[in-house]
Amino acid sequence: MPMERLERAIEELKRRRVGVGIVLKPQNIYYLTGFYPTAFAVLLLEDEPSLLVSPMDEALASRSGVEVEVVRSFRRRLRRIGGRRVGIEKGYASFEFWERYLRGRQVVSLGFIEEMRMVKDGEELRRIRASARVAEKVLGEVEALLDSVRSERELAARAEYLLRREAGSAFEVIVASGKNSSIPHHTPAGELDTSCVIVDLGARVEHYASDITRTFSLSGGGVFPELYEAVLEAQRAAIERCVAGATAGDVDRAAREVLREYRLERHFLHSTGHGIGLEVHEAPRLSRGSRMVLREGMVVTVEPGVYRELGVRVEDMVLIGKRPKLITSYRK
Amino acid sequence: MPMERLERAIEELKRRRVGVGIVLKPQNIYYLTGFYPTAFAVLLLEDEPSLLVSPMDEALASRSGVEVEVVRSFRRRLRRIGGRRVGIEKGYASFEFWERYLRGRQVVSLGFIEEMRMVKDGEELRRIRASARVAEKVLGEVEALLDSVRSERELAARAEYLLRREAGSAFEVIVASGKNSSIPHHTPAGELDTSCVIVDLGARVEHYASDITRTFSLSGGGVFPELYEAVLEAQRAAIERCVAGATAGDVDRAAREVLREYRLERHFLHSTGHGIGLEVHEAPRLSRGSRMVLREGMVVTVEPGVYRELGVRVEDMVLIGKRPKLITSYRK
C-alpha cells in the first residue's frame, strides 16, 4: 500500500512541477514508505525517492523497500538538496529549516499528503477499528474501577497500563473529576470525585489511534443529568451530519445549535471534533465555519462538551459515508 | 521565579531592539510565566507581556499573574501583531507561521530563552532530583519483575503504570531485549529475553523530566560482559569530563575514545547525551565536535551505548559543576 501512495505523491509533485519534496513529519514518512522513524529522518520525494536516516534507524528503514542513505551529519547533507522549486510541509517544517536550507528558493506546500491521509483505505480502517476495540475494552475496565480507586492519577495510571498491555496508548489519559471536570484538558491530580468523572483515552494499534470519552456519575444528582442530556443530544445531532457532502462546519453547527437551545453554548469551549488516524488530531477539523467538505472514508471524532461547575464531554469516532457509521459505541 | 525570568527575557529583547517576542513553545511559556498551556497559546513578550489563550485554558492561564487575553480566532489575532522587528523561536515556529503572520519583517531568534533554561536554579534542581528518585524507584521495581514478566510490552506497561502512579512518565518506556536490544529506539514487542534487557525510562515531576537507562542480564553470558564493561568504562570517562569549562564535544569524545580502544566505536550509533529539564532532550547536546562550553548548573544525561548482536546502553543524569555530580546512581 505505501508504495502506491508513494507513486501517487510523486505524481502530484510532478503535476506541480516541483523538483523535490522534503518530507520531515514521521507520520507522513510512514504513510508513504511504511518506515516509522524513531529519530530525525527525511524522505526525499523525487523520481528516485530516498530515505535519509540516522545510523540508529538504518535497520528499520532498510525494510521499507525505499533506497536508504545513512547520514552522519544532516546539516551537511541537507545543504546539498538541489532544485529551484521544493516542496515542504509548511506547517511542520520550522522557520529555521527553511532559513538554513531553502532560503531564496520557491517553496510549495506538500499539503496534499495530509489530504491523501484524510480518506482511509481498508487496511487503515481495520487498524482504526482494532484500536477503537481496545479503547472500548479499557474504558469498560476503567468504569468497573470507579468505585474502588481513590485518586484521579491512580485511575489514569491503571488506564495507561491497560492500554499499553493490550496495544499502546495514543495520548495521556485524561481523568478529570468533580470540579476538575470543568477543565477540558485537566492533568489527573487529586481525589477521585465520583459524582462526575470525565475519562478521555485512546489506544494505538499498528500506529493508528483511537479516541473516546465518557463522563460517568455514580451519584447522578445535581446539574449532572441536565448537562449530560444536553451533550448527548448535541452529539447525536452532530453525528447525524457526518455524511459525505456535508461540511465540517455543518457538523460543528449542529452540536452548537442544540447547546444553544439549552443555553449552554457559551460553555462549549472547543470545536466539535477532529480527524483521526496516524495522528490523534488531524484533518479535517470539525470547527466553527469550516467549509471543508466531508468525504466517504474520512474518520472523525464527535465530542461536544460543556464546562460549568461540572464538565461533561462525550466523544465517539465516526466513519463518514452516505450514512454516518459509528466506530465506537461504548455503553455499559 | 517565573516573573524574574520574564523580566530578564524582556530585558534581552530590548537589548536586541526587538519590539515583540512571540513565544509559542509550551515549555518556554511555562518557564517564563508558570502557565503550562494545554492548547495552542502565545506569550507576547513586550513591555506589558500578555498570554493569548484559547477559552479552554482561560482558568489555568489566569493564575499566572500575566495579563490574559482569551482568543476565539488565533488567525485574526495573530495578524494584528505589529512591529518591524519580531522575535520567534526559529526552530519551533513553523514556516507557515512565518509566511502567514511575519513575512516581510525582520525576524530575530528567541534562542536566549533556551539558553536561560540550560542552567538550572535551585527549584528546578529540586524537581529534577525528585523526578530522578521516582525513575530510580521504578527501575528497581522493574528489575525485580524481570524473571516473572514474559513480554517486553507487559514490562513496559508495568513501568508506565508505576511511573504514572507516582508522578508522570516523561516519554514512552523502552524495553528492548535479546536481539531487539540492538535497535536503540526499539518499540516494546515480543517475548522478554532476559539474557539482555535494555530498560530506558523517565519520570515527570512538576513538569521536570528524568531519564535513566540500565541494561540487565539474568544469564550474563556470551558477549554481554565484554560489551557491558566497555560501555561502563566509556560512561565513566565521559562523566569525568562533565565539568564547568569543558565542552560538550569533550564529553562525547571521552566516551568515543574508550569505545575505540575496545574496537566498538562504530557500534556507538548516537551522541553521548543531552541536556534535560522541561524537555527530555534539550540543550546542550553532548554530540561529536560540539564547542558548547558546559557551565555550572547544567544537567545532562551521559548514555553511551553499543549495538551489535546485542545492545548495551547505560544512562545517568549528571549535574555540571567544578566536579561532576551524579543525579542518578541506580545500582541493585
Side-chain angles (χ1 to χ4, degrees):
Chain A
M1 219 52 121
M3 284 307 161
E4 267 171 46
R5 296 174 190 156
L6 190 57
E7 278 167 32
R8 271 174 61 202
I10 293 168
E11 287 298 305
E12 276 297 333
L13 270 190
K14 282 189 189 161
R15 193 170 319 159
R16 285 153 215 243
R17 292 193 193 78
V18 176
V20 58
I22 305 170
V23 186
L24 303 177
K25 193 169 177 172
Q27 292 88 349
N28 288 343
I29 293 178
Y30 177 72
Y31 184 77
L32 295 176
T33 69
F35 158 62
Y36 207 111
T38 76
F40 183 74
V42 182
L43 168 62
L44 293 181
L45 269 185
E46 49 196 334
D47 272 330
E48 301 290 333
S50 59
L51 284 165
L52 313 184
V53 304
S54 106
M56 286 169 66
D57 271 343
E58 183 177 8
L60 280 176
S62 51
R63 294 180 206 157
S64 70
V66 179
E67 192 184 301
V68 171
E69 180 184 334
V70 176
V71 173
R72 297 264 162 194
S73 164
F74 274 100
R75 282 218 187 191
R76 234 170 294 152
R77 180 61 184 86
L78 290 168
R79 284 211 191 90
R80 279 175 31 223
I81 294 177
R84 282 283 319 138
R85 201 168 146 82
V86 296
I88 63 170
E89 298 144 306
K90 287 187 170 184
Y92 186 81
S94 69
F95 173 81
E96 184 174 79
F97 186 88
W98 169 78
E99 189 178 47
R100 231 178 234 170
Y101 306 115
L102 304 175
R103 187 155 219 161
R105 313 205 207 172
Q106 280 177 46
V107 170
V108 175
S109 169
L110 292 181
F112 62 83
I113 301 173
E114 291 185 20
E115 273 168 43
M116 286 167 68
R117 280 175 45 199
M118 285 197 292
V119 174
K120 271 65 181 177
D121 65 28
E123 170 61 13
E124 290 182 289
L125 288 174
R126 185 190 67 72
R127 296 184 188 188
I128 287 170
R129 286 201 175 97
S131 182
R133 289 298 80 74
V134 173
E136 287 179 327
K137 185 181 168 202
V138 170
L139 198 60
E141 294 172 302
V142 166
E143 186 174 8
L145 288 168
L146 283 176
D147 56 5
S148 61
V149 164
R150 293 232 295 263
S151 78
E152 291 179 356
R153 194 193 271 162
E154 172 69 20
L155 192 63
R158 298 263 199 122
E160 292 280 1
Y161 167 68
L162 294 166
L163 286 165
R164 286 160 199 272
R165 191 186 54 174
E166 294 279 339
S169 172
F171 52 89
E172 297 226 341
V173 171
I174 295 173
V175 173
S177 76
K179 67 177 176 22
N180 293 336
S181 64
S182 63
I183 302 167
H185 283 168
H186 171 66
T187 302
E191 284 199 12
L192 189 69
D193 174 348
T194 56
S195 66
C196 181
V197 188
I198 295 179
V199 178
D200 186 347
L201 58 79
R204 201 174 275 286
V205 171
E206 295 175 82
H207 301 296
Y208 281 78
S210 52
D211 188 359
I212 185 168
T213 305
R214 288 293 180 271
T215 307
F216 303 107
S217 174
L218 296 190
S219 51
V223 294
F224 183 85
E226 182 198 327
L227 299 183
Y228 194 77
E229 198 191 332
V231 168
L232 266 195
E233 193 179 323
Q235 197 207 24
R236 221 173 293 130
I239 289 173
E240 254 172 48
R241 299 299 296 139
C242 287
V243 293
T247 66
D250 290 341
V251 180
D252 183 79
R253 192 178 323 108
R256 239 165 263 283
E257 276 172 5
V258 170
L259 293 175
R260 190 179 311 138
E261 284 164 28
Y262 282 88
R263 297 174 168 275
L264 288 170
E265 194 196 2
R266 70 189 188 89
H267 301 286
F268 179 23
L269 304 179
H270 47 74
S271 56
T272 295
H274 50 84
I276 183 166
L278 287 169
E279 289 172 274
V280 177
H281 297 100
E282 57 181 50
R285 312 273 164 158
L286 305 183
S287 54
R288 203 193 296 250
S290 166
R291 292 194 201 108
M292 161 95 66
V293 176
L294 301 181
R295 279 179 290 155
E296 205 162 331
M298 289 180 174
V299 175
V300 297
T301 69
V302 180
E303 50 172 319
V306 294
Y307 307 92
R308 257 179 30 184
E309 59 274 46
L310 292 180
V312 170
R313 180 168 71 252
V314 176
E315 174 181 32
D316 282 293
M317 294 167 67
V318 182
L319 171 61
I320 308 290
K322 288 187 193 73
R323 299 284 313 145
K325 212 165 186 169
L326 278 172
I327 290 180
T328 55
S329 61
Y330 175 82
R331 298 284 178 270
K332 193 160 64 166
Chain B
M1 219 49 118
M3 284 307 162
E4 268 172 44
R5 295 175 190 155
L6 190 57
E7 278 167 32
R8 271 174 61 202
I10 293 168
E11 287 298 307
E12 277 296 332
L13 270 189
K14 282 191 189 157
R15 193 169 321 160
R16 286 154 213 242
R17 292 193 191 76
V18 175
V20 58
I22 305 170
V23 186
L24 303 176
K25 194 168 176 171
Q27 292 88 349
N28 288 343
I29 293 178
Y30 176 73
Y31 184 77
L32 295 175
T33 69
F35 158 63
Y36 207 111
T38 76
F40 184 75
V42 182
L43 168 63
L44 293 181
L45 269 185
E46 49 195 336
D47 272 333
E48 301 290 335
S50 59
L51 284 165
L52 313 183
V53 305
S54 108
M56 286 169 65
D57 270 343
E58 184 177 8
L60 279 178
S62 50
R63 294 179 204 159
S64 70
V66 179
E67 193 183 303
V68 171
E69 180 185 335
V70 177
V71 173
R72 297 262 162 195
S73 164
F74 274 101
R75 281 219 189 190
R76 235 170 296 151
R77 180 61 184 85
L78 289 169
R79 284 212 191 89
R80 280 177 29 223
I81 295 176
R84 281 282 319 137
R85 200 168 146 82
V86 297
I88 63 169
E89 297 145 307
K90 287 187 170 185
Y92 186 80
S94 68
F95 172 81
E96 185 175 78
F97 186 87
W98 169 79
E99 189 178 47
R100 231 178 234 171
Y101 307 114
L102 304 175
R103 186 155 219 163
R105 313 205 208 171
Q106 280 178 46
V107 170
V108 175
S109 169
L110 292 180
F112 62 83
I113 302 173
E114 292 186 20
E115 273 168 43
M116 287 166 69
R117 280 174 47 198
M118 284 197 292
V119 174
K120 271 67 181 177
D121 65 29
E123 170 61 13
E124 290 182 289
L125 287 175
R126 186 190 67 74
R127 296 185 188 187
I128 288 171
R129 286 201 176 96
S131 182
R133 289 298 79 74
V134 173
E136 286 179 328
K137 186 182 167 201
V138 170
L139 198 58
E141 295 172 302
V142 166
E143 187 174 6
L145 288 168
L146 283 176
D147 56 5
S148 61
V149 163
R150 291 232 295 262
S151 77
E152 292 179 355
R153 194 194 270 162
E154 172 70 21
L155 192 64
R158 298 263 198 122
E160 293 281 0
Y161 167 70
L162 295 165
L163 287 166
R164 286 160 200 272
R165 188 185 59 174
E166 293 280 338
S169 172
F171 53 89
E172 299 226 338
V173 171
I174 295 173
V175 172
S177 76
K179 67 179 175 20
N180 294 334
S181 64
S182 63
I183 302 166
H185 283 169
H186 170 66
T187 302
E191 285 199 9
L192 189 69
D193 174 348
T194 55
S195 66
C196 181
V197 187
I198 295 178
V199 179
D200 186 347
L201 57 80
R204 200 174 277 286
V205 170
E206 295 175 82
H207 300 296
Y208 282 79
S210 51
D211 188 0
I212 186 169
T213 305
R214 287 294 179 270
T215 307
F216 303 107
S217 174
L218 297 189
S219 50
V223 295
F224 184 84
E226 183 199 327
L227 299 183
Y228 193 77
E229 197 191 333
V231 168
L232 265 195
E233 193 180 321
Q235 197 207 23
R236 220 174 293 132
I239 289 173
E240 252 172 52
R241 299 299 295 141
C242 286
V243 293
T247 66
D250 290 340
V251 180
D252 184 78
R253 193 179 322 109
R256 240 166 262 283
E257 276 174 5
V258 170
L259 293 175
R260 189 178 313 137
E261 284 166 29
Y262 282 88
R263 297 175 169 274
L264 288 169
E265 194 195 1
R266 71 189 187 89
H267 301 286
F268 179 21
L269 304 180
H270 46 73
S271 55
T272 295
H274 50 84
I276 182 166
L278 288 168
E279 290 172 273
V280 177
H281 297 99
E282 57 181 49
R285 313 270 164 159
L286 306 182
S287 54
R288 203 195 296 248
S290 166
R291 292 195 198 108
M292 162 96 67
V293 177
L294 301 180
R295 279 180 289 156
E296 206 162 330
M298 290 180 173
V299 176
V300 297
T301 68
V302 180
E303 51 173 317
V306 293
Y307 307 92
R308 257 180 28 186
E309 59 274 45
L310 293 179
V312 170
R313 180 167 71 251
V314 176
E315 174 180 33
D316 283 292
M317 294 167 67
V318 181
L319 171 61
I320 308 290
K322 286 186 197 74
R323 298 283 314 143
K325 214 167 185 168
L326 278 172
I327 291 180
T328 55
S329 61
Y330 176 84
R331 297 286 178 269
K332 191 158 67 167

